[in-house]
Structures are given as C-alpha cells and as structure tokens.
Amino acid sequence: MLEAILASQVIPEAQKSIACKIFEGKRISSEEGILLYYEGSLSLLALLADHVRRSINGKLTYYNRNVHIEPTNICVYNCRFCSYSNHQSPESWELTIDEMVDKVESLGNEITEVHIVGAVHPGRDIHYYAGLIQRVREARPGIHIKAFTAIEIEYMVKKAGLSLEEGLMILKEAGLDSIPGGGAEIFDEKIREVICGQKSTSEAWLEVHEVAHNLGIPSNATILYGHIEKYEHRIEHLNRLRELQDKTHGFNAFIPLKFRNKNNELSWIEEVSLIEDMRNYAMSRIFLDNIPHIKAYWPMIGKQMAALSLSFGVDDLDGTINDSTKIYSLAGADDQNPALTSDAIRELITGAGLIPVERDSVYNILDKQI
Ligand code: V47
Ligand code: SF4
C-alpha cells in the first residue's frame, strides 16, 4: 500500500527512504527534517503528516471553550516583531484584577479555561500575579488557569529574587494549572538578537518549562516562523523541544505562530504564503513525534486556513476565543474580532472529514458522544 502511494508520486530516493521511516513509526533526524523541509512536495508532506497525526490522534480533532485575557501591553522589552506592546501600539492599557475577574465571571459556564498572557510589566510582581490567579480561582474553582509565558515568569521570578522552583510553586499554590507556549520565538541566539534582542535566551525559556514540568505543571510550546529564520533554524528549534520532551513529557501541544507584519519594526519582511504555513504545520507534526498535539491558532491564520491545516497534521483548533485578543489583530490578522461558537468550530472540523471533540485543557474528552 505504502509502496503504491509512494510509487504514484515521483519521489527522489532520499525522500522515499525518509518517508518509509516515518511510515514505520521511526524518528527522523535533523538532517532528514531539513531535507524534507527544502525538497518535499506539499502533497508528500501532507501524506506523511496525516499519517503521523492519525497514528497519534486518529480522526479526533480537539477544541476547547476558553477566553484569552491580556492583562497589559506595557512591556519592559521591545521585540521588533511585536505590534502589541506600548512601544508600537497607539494605546497603553492595564486591566485591573477586578476587571479580569469580572470578565471570567461574566462568561460563567461558557468556558472551561482562561488563558492569561500579556506584556512584561515592570511594576507588577509575582505576588500581584499570584493574587490575580487566586482571585480567578476563587471566582471559578473548577476552571483551568493557563497563564504567563516563560518570559513573563522568568522576569517576575528574578524580580522577586526567587529561584524558578520557588516562583513556580508560588504560582502553582495560587492555582496555576499550566503554562502557555508563548515567548519561545526561535531558539537561535543570533536571530533572537535581531528580532527580540532584550528578551530571555532560548536556554532560559527551555529551563522555565523544564522546571515547570518537574513540578507537575504541563505546558505548551510555540515557534515564531516566517521572518528571517531558515529551515535549519526551525529544525533546530523543533529538535530542542523534542529533546526536552524526551526528558520530561510535559508538553501537551505545539503551536506554530506565523509572523504577521503589520505595525511593527519588521514590517519590511513579507509574510510567508499559506502554502508555507501548511508545509510548516506538516513538518512540525512529522518531526515532533513525542508531542501529542499540534494546534492551529486560528485567530492568526483565519478560520478557513485553520480548517485546511487539519489535513496537514493539525489535530487541535484553539478554542472559542472571544474578541479580547489583541496580539494578532494589531499585527494584521484578517479577523479583527475573532470569535467562534462551539457549533461553528465543530462545523469546520466535520467539513474536513474529521471528528470534533470538546476537550478540557489537558485533553480529557468532555464530549458525551465520543
Ligand atoms: O510569544 C507576537 C507571538 C505569542 C507577533 O499556549 C506574534 O495555547 C506573529 O503564545 N506575529 C503569544 N506572532 C501568543 C501565544 C499563544 C497563542 C495561542 C495559544 C497559545 C497556547 C499560546 O505571540 C508571542 C509571540 O511569539 N507574536 N507578535 C506577530 N507580529
Ligand atoms: Fe513585550 Fe511580548 Fe511584545 Fe516582546 S512580544 S515586546 S515581551 S509584549
């Protein structure tokens, strides 16, 4: 069967042997990943990614009901790709704890998760953020709180003079359940120097996640792609995540984030094509054989493209986010008020010939029908 499929496509021998490895469930090397990135056809990558996706998740395609809260855009850093911080955006904002708690309370049982990520505010410390988490926890005891990128955590922990273990335990005891994947950007110090020179190093990002995993706090991971990086950098990024996952098994999902070029200091860079987005999803699925879920963040690429990504290795569409996320609307996403009802997400998934499943934040199935 495999031979027949591969024979029906005219594939060079080197790619054929990588494809055979993937069909046999074997891990591919960085060199093989780079070769596929450069030379694999879109149809071959789709075939391979779909095979890996089906062997891990079958036809199940996950979504959850969540809200994104962005506490502030006032930032100590000034990443050149960022359209959102007070250095680029025409307005600065700081939500109060009451405003954030009111937002969560107003949504009642419509959501099972709150995702809290913002800028790195110089005046807000770990005790402030632990207080925020505690208030959200009191308001909605059963809700999953996924909060603060490794960059925010590193800053608040250092500012308090604590170790990462101590800082993360304070957040965990306040009610933090998991850590989102933001801030990873690209694990290459030379590129970081150009696109986000002041920000924590790759090593520091990985360390926050490693310590969190060791304390029983799961997390996600991201990559920011489509700026000045090359395929070699993307593979190195995936490889470092794959290595950490082998050690800790703490990553739930990987989320590729496409660089959007409006209103930031890297606006001169043309955005990559949608075909490149699909190739990137597929390569992520193929290479990261030990991270169970690949998530499309639909406010970034749009709903239709997110639906298409389901044929390129993606098995998770990020939530029923309402219109509170500014990170992408300011950076040029087409949808300026992103919102999707559960029915609309389910329709996108069934339209791709797959099975929609509502999940909780750690991928337990909540759907009664499954
Ligand atoms: O870290 C900022 C990225 C991230 C731009 O874990 C940009 O479930 C593209 O991490 N173009 C924050 N990307 C968002 C994030 C996230 C989103 C959805 C789900 C999860 C999860 C995490 O947004 C930042 C940065 O990498 N970003 N500006 C831009 N112009
Ligand atoms: Fe600040 Fe995050 Fe924007 Fe960088 S990407 S400037 S850390 S808000």
Coordinates of all heavy atoms in Angstrom, one line a residue, residues 287-341:
F287 N 8.1 15.9 12.6 CA 9.3 15.9 13.4 C 9.1 15.7 14.9 O 9.8 15.0 15.5 CB 10.1 17.3 13.2 CG 11.5 17.2 13.6 CD1 12.5 16.7 12.7 CD2 11.9 17.5 14.8 CE1 13.8 16.6 13.1 CE2 13.3 17.4 15.2 CZ 14.2 17.0 14.3
L288 N 8.0 16.3 15.4 CA 7.7 16.2 16.8 C 6.9 15.0 17.2 O 5.8 15.1 17.5 CB 7.0 17.5 17.3 CG 7.8 18.8 17.3 CD1 6.9 20.0 17.6 CD2 9.0 18.7 18.2
D289 N 7.6 13.8 17.0 CA 6.9 12.6 17.2 C 6.5 12.3 18.7 O 5.7 11.4 19.0 CB 7.7 11.4 16.7 CG 9.1 11.4 17.4 OD1 9.4 12.2 18.2 OD2 9.9 10.5 17.0
N290 N 6.9 13.2 19.6 CA 6.6 12.9 21.0 C 5.8 14.0 21.7 O 5.5 13.9 22.9 CB 7.9 12.7 21.8 CG 8.9 13.9 21.7 OD1 8.6 14.9 21.0 ND2 10.0 13.9 22.4
I291 N 5.3 15.0 20.9 CA 4.4 15.9 21.4 C 3.0 15.6 20.9 O 2.8 15.5 19.6 CB 4.8 17.4 21.1 CG1 6.1 17.7 21.8 CG2 3.7 18.4 21.6 CD1 6.6 19.1 21.7
P292 N 2.0 15.3 21.7 CA 0.8 14.6 21.2 C 0.0 15.5 20.3 O -0.7 15.0 19.4 CB 0.0 14.3 22.5 CG 0.7 14.9 23.6 CD 2.1 15.2 23.2
H293 N 0.0 16.8 20.5 CA -1.0 17.7 19.7 C -0.3 18.8 19.0 O 0.6 19.5 19.5 CB -2.1 18.2 20.7 CG -2.8 17.1 21.4 ND1 -3.7 16.3 20.8 CD2 -2.6 16.6 22.7 CE1 -4.1 15.3 21.6 NE2 -3.5 15.6 22.8
I294 N -0.8 19.1 17.8 CA -0.3 20.2 17.0 C -1.6 21.1 16.9 O -2.6 20.7 16.4 CB 0.2 19.9 15.6 CG1 1.3 18.8 15.7 CG2 0.6 21.1 14.8 CD1 2.6 19.3 16.3
K295 N -1.4 22.4 17.4 CA -2.5 23.2 17.4 C -2.4 24.4 16.4 O -1.4 24.9 16.2 CB -2.6 23.9 18.8 CG -3.8 24.6 19.2 CD -3.6 25.5 20.4 CE -3.7 24.8 21.7 NZ -3.9 25.8 22.8
A296 N -3.6 24.6 15.7 CA -3.6 25.8 14.9 C -4.3 26.9 15.7 O -5.4 26.7 16.2 CB -4.4 25.5 13.6
Y297 N -3.6 28.0 15.7 CA -4.2 29.2 16.5 C -4.9 30.0 15.4 O -4.4 30.8 14.7 CB -3.0 30.0 17.1 CG -3.5 31.1 18.0 CD1 -4.5 30.9 18.9 CD2 -2.9 32.4 17.9 CE1 -5.0 32.0 19.7 CE2 -3.4 33.4 18.7 CZ -4.4 33.2 19.6 OH -4.8 34.3 20.4
W298 N -6.2 29.7 15.3 CA -7.0 30.2 14.1 C -7.1 31.7 14.1 O -7.2 32.3 12.9 CB -8.4 29.5 14.0 CG -9.3 29.8 15.2 CD1 -9.5 28.9 16.2 CD2 -10.1 30.9 15.4 NE1 -10.4 29.4 17.1 CE2 -10.7 30.7 16.7 CE3 -10.3 32.1 14.8 CZ2 -11.6 31.6 17.2 CZ3 -11.1 33.1 15.3 CH2 -11.8 32.8 16.6
P299 N -7.0 32.5 15.2 CA -7.1 34.0 15.0 C -5.9 34.5 14.2 O -5.9 35.5 13.7 CB -7.0 34.5 16.5 CG -7.6 33.4 17.3 CD -7.1 32.1 16.6
M300 N -4.8 33.6 14.1 CA -3.6 34.1 13.4 C -3.7 33.8 11.9 O -3.4 34.7 11.1 CB -2.4 33.3 14.0 CG -1.1 33.5 13.2 SD 0.1 32.4 13.9 CE -0.4 30.8 13.2
I301 N -4.2 32.7 11.5 CA -4.3 32.4 10.1 C -5.7 32.4 9.5 O -5.8 32.3 8.3 CB -3.6 31.0 9.7 CG1 -4.3 29.9 10.6 CG2 -2.1 31.0 9.9 CD1 -3.9 28.5 10.1
G302 N -6.7 32.6 10.3 CA -8.1 32.7 9.8 C -8.7 31.3 9.9 O -8.0 30.3 10.0
K303 N -10.0 31.3 9.9 CA -10.8 30.1 10.1 C -10.7 29.1 9.0 O -10.5 27.9 9.2 CB -12.3 30.5 10.3 CG -12.5 31.3 11.6 CD -13.8 32.0 11.6 CE -13.8 33.0 12.7 NZ -14.9 34.0 12.7
Q304 N -10.7 29.6 7.8 CA -10.7 28.6 6.6 C -9.3 27.9 6.6 O -9.2 26.7 6.3 CB -11.0 29.4 5.3 CG -12.4 29.9 5.2 CD -13.4 28.8 5.5 OE1 -13.3 27.7 5.0 NE2 -14.5 29.1 6.2
M305 N -8.3 28.7 6.8 CA -6.9 28.1 6.7 C -6.7 27.2 7.9 O -6.0 26.2 7.7 CB -5.9 29.2 6.7 CG -5.8 29.9 5.4 SD -5.4 28.8 4.1 CE -6.3 29.5 2.7
A306 N -7.3 27.5 9.0 CA -7.2 26.6 10.2 C -7.9 25.3 9.8 O -7.3 24.2 10.1 CB -7.8 27.2 11.4
A307 N -9.0 25.4 9.1 CA -9.7 24.1 8.7 C -8.8 23.3 7.7 O -8.7 22.1 7.9 CB -11.0 24.5 8.1
L308 N -8.1 24.0 6.8 CA -7.3 23.3 5.9 C -6.1 22.7 6.6 O -5.7 21.6 6.2 CB -6.7 24.4 4.9 CG -6.0 23.8 3.7 CD1 -6.8 22.9 2.8 CD2 -5.4 25.0 2.8
S309 N -5.6 23.3 7.7 CA -4.4 22.8 8.4 C -4.7 21.4 9.0 O -3.8 20.7 9.2 CB -4.0 23.8 9.5 OG -4.9 23.7 10.6
L310 N -6.0 21.1 9.1 CA -6.4 19.8 9.7 C -5.9 18.6 8.8 O -5.9 17.5 9.2 CB -7.9 19.7 9.9 CG -8.4 20.7 10.9 CD1 -9.9 20.6 11.1 CD2 -7.7 20.6 12.3
S311 N -5.6 18.9 7.5 CA -5.1 17.9 6.6 C -3.6 17.9 6.5 O -3.0 17.2 5.7 CB -5.7 18.1 5.2 OG -7.1 18.1 5.2
F312 N -3.0 18.8 7.4 CA -1.5 18.9 7.4 C -0.9 18.6 8.8 O 0.0 19.2 9.2 CB -1.1 20.3 6.8 CG -1.4 20.4 5.4 CD1 -2.6 20.8 4.9 CD2 -0.4 20.2 4.4 CE1 -2.9 20.9 3.6 CE2 -0.7 20.3 3.1 CZ -1.9 20.7 2.6
G313 N -1.6 17.7 9.5 CA -1.1 17.3 10.8 C -1.7 18.0 12.0 O -1.5 17.5 13.1
V314 N -2.5 19.0 11.8 CA -3.1 19.7 13.0 C -4.3 18.9 13.5 O -5.1 18.3 12.7 CB -3.6 21.1 12.6 CG1 -4.4 21.7 13.6 CG2 -2.4 22.0 12.3
D315 N -4.4 18.7 14.9 CA -5.5 18.0 15.4 C -6.2 18.8 16.5 O -7.0 18.3 17.2 CB -5.0 16.7 16.1 CG -4.1 16.9 17.3 OD1 -2.9 17.2 17.1 OD2 -4.6 16.9 18.4
D316 N -5.9 20.1 16.6 CA -6.5 20.9 17.7 C -6.6 22.4 17.1 O -5.7 22.9 16.5 CB -5.5 20.9 18.8 CG -6.1 21.6 20.1 OD1 -7.3 21.8 20.1 OD2 -5.3 21.9 21.0
L317 N -7.8 22.9 17.3 CA -8.1 24.3 16.9 C -8.3 25.1 18.2 O -9.1 24.7 19.1 CB -9.4 24.4 16.1 CG -9.3 23.7 14.7 CD1 -10.6 24.0 14.0 CD2 -8.1 24.2 13.9
D318 N -7.4 26.1 18.4 CA -7.5 26.8 19.7 C -8.9 27.5 19.8 O -9.3 28.3 19.1 CB -6.4 27.9 19.8 CG -6.2 28.4 21.2 OD1 -7.2 29.0 21.8 OD2 -5.2 28.2 21.8
G319 N -9.6 27.0 20.8 CA -10.8 27.5 21.4 C -11.8 28.4 20.8 O -11.7 28.8 19.6
T320 N -12.8 28.7 21.6 CA -13.9 29.6 21.2 C -13.6 31.0 21.6 O -14.4 31.7 22.1 CB -15.2 29.1 21.9 OG1 -14.9 29.0 23.3 CG2 -15.6 27.8 21.3
I321 N -12.3 31.3 21.5 CA -11.8 32.6 21.9 C -12.8 33.8 21.6 O -13.2 33.8 20.4 CB -10.5 32.9 21.2 CG1 -9.5 31.8 21.5 CG2 -9.9 34.3 21.6 CD1 -8.4 31.7 20.4
N322 N -13.0 34.6 22.5 CA -13.9 35.8 22.1 C -13.0 36.9 21.7 O -11.8 36.7 21.4 CB -14.9 36.1 23.2 CG -14.2 36.7 24.4 OD1 -13.0 37.0 24.3 ND2 -15.0 37.0 25.4
D323 N -13.5 38.1 21.6 CA -12.8 39.2 20.9 C -11.7 39.9 21.7 O -11.4 41.0 21.4 CB -13.8 40.2 20.3 CG -14.6 40.9 21.3 OD1 -14.3 40.6 22.5 OD2 -15.4 41.7 21.0
S324 N -11.2 39.3 22.8 CA -10.3 40.0 23.7 C -8.9 39.9 23.3 O -8.0 40.5 24.0 CB -10.5 39.6 25.1 OG -10.4 38.2 25.2
T325 N -8.5 39.2 22.2 CA -7.1 39.0 21.9 C -6.6 40.1 20.9 O -7.2 40.2 19.9 CB -6.8 37.6 21.5 OG1 -5.4 37.6 21.1 CG2 -7.6 37.1 20.4
K326 N -5.6 40.8 21.4 CA -5.1 41.9 20.5 C -3.8 41.6 19.9 O -3.4 42.3 19.0 CB -4.9 43.2 21.4 CG -6.2 43.8 22.0 CD -5.9 45.2 22.4 CE -7.2 46.0 22.8 NZ -7.6 45.8 24.2
I327 N -3.1 40.6 20.3 CA -1.8 40.3 19.8 C -1.8 40.2 18.3 O -0.9 40.7 17.6 CB -1.2 39.0 20.5 CG1 -1.0 39.2 22.0 CG2 0.2 38.6 19.8 CD1 -0.5 38.0 22.7
Y328 N -2.8 39.5 17.8 CA -2.8 39.3 16.3 C -3.6 40.3 15.6 O -3.3 40.6 14.5 CB -3.3 37.8 16.0 CG -2.2 36.9 16.3 CD1 -2.1 36.2 17.5 CD2 -1.1 36.8 15.4 CE1 -1.0 35.4 17.7 CE2 0.0 36.1 15.6 CZ 0.1 35.4 16.8 OH 1.1 34.6 17.1
S329 N -4.7 40.8 16.2 CA -5.5 41.8 15.5 C -4.6 43.0 15.2 O -4.6 43.6 14.1 CB -6.7 42.2 16.2 OG -6.4 42.7 17.5
L330 N -3.7 43.4 16.1 CA -2.8 44.6 15.9 C -1.7 44.2 14.9 O -1.2 45.1 14.2 CB -2.2 45.1 17.2 CG -3.2 45.8 18.1 CD1 -2.5 45.9 19.5 CD2 -3.6 47.1 17.6
A331 N -1.4 43.0 14.8 CA -0.3 42.6 13.9 C -0.7 42.3 12.5 O 0.0 41.9 11.6 CB 0.5 41.4 14.4
G332 N -2.1 42.4 12.2 CA -2.5 42.3 10.9 C -3.4 41.1 10.5 O -3.6 40.8 9.4
A333 N -3.8 40.4 11.6 CA -4.7 39.2 11.2 C -6.0 39.7 10.6 O -6.5 40.8 10.9 CB -5.0 38.5 12.5
D334 N -6.5 38.9 9.6 CA -7.7 39.4 8.9 C -8.9 39.6 9.8 O -9.7 40.5 9.6 CB -8.0 38.3 7.8 CG -6.8 38.1 6.9 OD1 -6.1 39.1 6.7 OD2 -6.6 37.0 6.4
D335 N -9.0 38.7 10.8 CA -10.2 38.7 11.6 C -9.9 39.6 12.8 O -9.1 39.3 13.7 CB -10.5 37.3 12.1 CG -11.9 37.2 12.7 OD1 -12.4 38.2 13.0 OD2 -12.4 36.0 12.7
Q336 N -10.5 40.8 12.8 CA -10.2 41.8 13.8 C -11.0 41.5 15.1 O -10.6 42.1 16.2 CB -10.5 43.2 13.3 CG -9.5 43.6 12.2 CD -8.1 43.8 12.8 OE1 -7.8 44.6 13.6 NE2 -7.1 43.0 12.2
N337 N -12.0 40.7 15.1 CA -12.8 40.4 16.3 C -13.0 38.9 16.4 O -14.1 38.4 16.2 CB -14.2 41.1 16.3 CG -14.0 42.6 16.5 OD1 -13.4 43.0 17.4 ND2 -14.5 43.3 15.5
P338 N -11.9 38.2 16.6 CA -12.0 36.7 16.5 C -13.0 36.1 17.5 O -12.8 36.3 18.7 CB -10.6 36.2 16.7 CG -9.9 37.3 17.4 CD -10.6 38.6 17.0
A339 N -13.9 35.3 17.0 CA -14.8 34.6 17.9 C -15.4 33.4 17.1 O -15.6 33.5 15.9 CB -15.9 35.5 18.4
L340 N -15.5 32.3 17.7 CA -16.1 31.1 17.1 C -17.0 30.4 18.1 O -16.5 30.2 19.2 CB -15.0 30.2 16.7 CG -14.5 30.1 15.2 CD1 -13.5 29.0 15.1 CD2 -15.6 29.9 14.2
T341 N -18.2 30.1 17.7 CA -19.0 29.3 18.7 C -18.6 27.9 18.6 O -17.9 27.5 17.6 CB -20.5 29.4 18.3 OG1 -20.6 28.9 16.9 CG2 -21.0 30.9 18.3

